[in-house]
Amino acid sequence: MKNLRFAVLCFFPIVFGLLAAEGCKKEPPVVPEPTLSLTAVDASCTEAWLKVATTQLPAIVRLLRDGTRVADLRLLTSDSLLIDEGLLPNRAYTYQLQRLNPPQAGSGDSTVLETSASVLVTTMDTTSHNFTWQIDTLGVTSSVLYDVSIVNDTLAYAVGEMYLRDSTGQIDPQAWNAAKWNGLRWEMKRIPFIGPCSAVLYPPLKAIWAFSPTSILVTNGGSIVTFDGTDATMDCRMNSLLTGAINKLFARNPQDIYAVGNNGCIAHYNGSTWRRVESGTELPLTDVFGSPDGSVVWVSGYTEGVPSGTALFRITDEQVKMVKVKDQFIHWGDSLSGSLKRVWTDRPQYVCVLSSWGLYVAPRTTEGNARLYWTTGGLSYHGYARAMRGQAVNDVVIAGAEGLIWHFNGLTMRRYQDNQRADFLLRGVSYTGRYFIAVGEQYHPIHSKGLVIVGRR
């Protein structure tokens, strides 16, 4: 190409004389517009996620890692997401993309038409599996905890329904619906629901979300109360929007709150009003979690004991996108299986999904690329995983039946058997990286107790 361009330029002096020749010498070289771009999207401990953009379609491209061919790919869309797996934790990799001459694609003699700029990706390091455990029970009969929220290292709240004995030794019929943790021990609390949309003063509480010691959201399934540690203020404005009882709360701040529940119920508070978000399903929605920047919110749902009754939704700008519903995979093919129970994320790029089959991680922008990081398939506790939260994709905790707790460090999954008991059932978790609290019940046909397991790293 250089020789051809040189021949054309040197023809001008013959026609136009010395002045044109002088101008020819000063003319800047023509640089072709790039048609390829490669961008680092994110990385886990073992994967790099790369965005490929091209202005020429279709295109045959070659991905290089540290100068070595990874794969040759045929691109049919202008934007694609590539996932390079099998990497090592805490290591830097350099990537480039080459556009190949299609007739020779895949052979050693392929003609390279263009090479993108280099992109540096550093994989995440693994996190520690080392935790020490403390077990507590709350209540003496018919007691259970459903959810928990850690505020800081010396403050957490667990919610549910707990009964204690009164001064005469009899069971007090007035339930305690919360417990406050000071970093060492638990103190029973009663959070009142005073207002026209609650008939019970201290109802059992189903879910909690804490912003600070003085800004805590709790719900009894039908109403939401803001608790400041002493007083509670009820908000009845959402009640007419509900199609079923609230099961979970997620909030970025007090002006951006999501509540999900039974019969496909999704409600959103935007700082001034509540709005119902149509889900298009009547499945019980069991979890909700969104990215810190508010750009995407994920919702999961399933019917207990019905493997085909399961769903996953992505919400952007209050618009719901069905990702998977009733075992018909719309976007991710067969890469998501089982009952989808919990969702969690710490950034817009991906979502962690807890299924009865295991832990999946999927980039938001991809189709067909949900990755199964860990599976329960074929094990005696298959399907027992029930709750999940994390700090990053290399620091995720899971809890479930028989008191089982797992920690995924980005590379390996560790199961903790210290707390394993047949009568333990864990329903909710909260995790800060330093502290992990799981709550549920120590089951007994008559004398069930609220159960709390605190893990300290």
Side-chain angles (χ1 to χ4, degrees):
M1 191 66 184
K2 290 183 179 179
N3 291 337
L4 176 61
R5 181 165 168 265
F6 176 79
V8 172
L9 292 177
C10 289
F11 174 73
F12 283 100
I14 300 174
V15 180
F16 298 105
L18 183 61
L19 182 60
E22 190 68 20
C24 179
K25 292 180 182 179
K26 293 183 178 180
E27 182 181 339
V30 178
V31 179
E33 288 291 330
T35 67
L36 283 179
S37 68
L38 187 65
T39 308
V41 175
D42 215 327
S44 65
C45 291
T46 60
E47 297 174 340
W49 300 341
L50 305 162
K51 180 182 178 182
V52 176
T54 180
T55 58
Q56 292 192 359
L57 294 172
I60 302 297
V61 298
R62 174 170 294 169
L63 181 66
L64 303 177
R65 182 206 311 135
D66 295 336
T68 301
R69 173 184 174 275
V70 176
D72 289 355
L73 306 163
R74 180 178 176 85
L75 302 181
L76 299 177
T77 59
S78 57
D79 291 301
S80 303
L81 187 71
L82 304 182
I83 300 178
D84 185 25
E85 57 183 342
L87 307 180
L88 297 175
N90 195 27
R91 179 169 171 175
Y93 294 91
T94 300
Y95 288 91
Q96 283 183 299
L97 201 66
Q98 295 179 333
R99 184 163 60 88
L100 305 180
N101 193 23
Q104 285 106 22
S107 70
D109 298 325
S110 298
T111 303
V112 177
L113 303 178
E114 181 184 351
T115 301
S116 72
S118 299
V119 170
L120 182 66
V121 176
T122 301
T123 53
M124 303 175 75
D125 201 359
T126 57
T127 55
S128 171
H129 282 313
N130 295 326
F131 288 86
T132 59
W133 305 100
Q134 174 186 331
I135 300 177
D136 292 294
T137 57
L138 304 176
V140 296
T141 185
S142 303
S143 299
V144 60
L145 293 168
Y146 294 108
D147 202 6
V148 60
S149 186
I150 301 174
V151 182
N152 55 48
D153 287 356
T154 59
L155 181 62
Y157 283 91
V159 295
E161 180 180 14
M162 295 156 287
Y163 294 90
L164 297 177
R165 298 186 185 279
D166 60 21
S167 58
T168 67
Q170 301 299 310
I171 300 298
D172 187 343
Q174 184 70 72
W176 302 79
N177 56 13
K180 178 182 178 181
W181 181 68
N182 65 4
L184 296 175
R185 59 186 63 87
W186 293 89
E187 174 191 358
M188 303 291 268
K189 303 285 288 185
R190 287 187 175 117
I191 299 178
F193 273 52
I194 302 173
C197 51
S198 178
V200 179
L201 181 59
Y202 301 112
L205 299 183
K206 301 295 185 181
I208 181 171
W209 187 276
F211 301 106
S212 70
T214 58
S215 182
I216 302 161
L217 300 177
V218 294
T219 179
N220 63 349
S223 307
I224 289 180
V225 155
T226 300
F227 181 59
D228 66 4
T230 303
D231 298 318
T233 303
M234 177 175 287
D235 186 349
C236 295
R237 291 174 295 172
M238 68 176 297
N239 289 64
S240 62
L241 306 177
L242 299 180
T243 57
I246 301 170
N247 293 322
K248 277 290 185 179
L249 300 172
F250 165 76
R252 281 197 315 121
N253 53 59
Q255 286 72 49
D256 188 5
I257 304 168
Y258 277 88
V260 303
N262 295 337
N263 299 318
C265 174
I266 303 176
H268 178 230
Y269 179 66
N270 62 10
S272 58
T273 60
W274 282 95
R275 175 180 176 271
R276 185 165 64 197
V277 181
E278 299 297 338
S279 67
T281 182
E282 295 183 354
L283 285 172
L285 302 182
T286 55
D287 203 11
V288 56
F289 212 95
S291 59
D293 67 354
S295 63
V296 58
V297 174
W298 296 90
V299 178
S300 63
Y302 77 102
T303 301
E304 189 78 41
V306 183
S308 62
T310 189
L312 180 67
F313 302 94
R314 181 176 65 234
I315 303 174
T316 55
D317 298 325
E318 292 191 347
Q319 299 300 311
V320 175
K321 179 70 173 181
M322 290 186 184
V323 178
K324 174 186 186 293
V325 62
K326 293 187 177 179
D327 235 17
Q328 296 178 2
F329 295 87
I330 298 174
H331 278 287
W332 289 337
D334 291 331
S335 58
L336 278 173
S337 297
S339 299
L340 308 184
K341 300 181 177 183
R342 295 289 186 265
V343 288
W344 175 84
T345 184
D346 70 327
R347 62 195 70 187
Q349 290 91 329
Y350 65 75
V351 60
C352 296
V353 182
L354 179 63
S355 158
S356 56
W357 286 102
L359 174 65
Y360 291 89
V361 177
R364 168 190 177 183
T365 55
T366 188
E367 296 183 6
N369 280 311
R371 317 294 296 174
L372 181 61
Y373 276 28
W374 161 75
T375 179
T376 62
L379 301 178
S380 61
Y381 47 88
H382 170 70
Y384 282 8
R386 290 175 175 265
M388 172 188 64
R389 287 295 180 256
Q391 287 295 293
V393 73
N394 66 338
D395 198 6
V396 178
V397 293
I398 296 170
E402 297 185 2
L404 288 168
I405 296 173
W406 297 265
H407 175 249
F408 180 66
N409 73 351
L411 185 63
T412 61
M413 180 71 78
R414 179 171 177 180
R415 177 165 66 104
Y416 302 91
Q417 296 178 291
D418 314 52
N419 313 309
Q420 185 172 351
R421 286 183 46 167
D423 59 342
F424 280 7
L425 173 60
L426 298 173
R427 299 175 179 271
V429 300
S430 184
Y431 183 48
T432 65
R434 177 177 170 83
Y435 285 97
F436 163 75
I437 300 181
V439 299
E441 63 183 305
Q442 182 180 1
Y443 177 75
H444 185 275
I446 300 175
H447 303 298
S448 292
K449 300 177 181 180
L451 174 66
V452 182
I453 300 180
V454 178
R456 292 177 173 85
R457 177 178 275 159

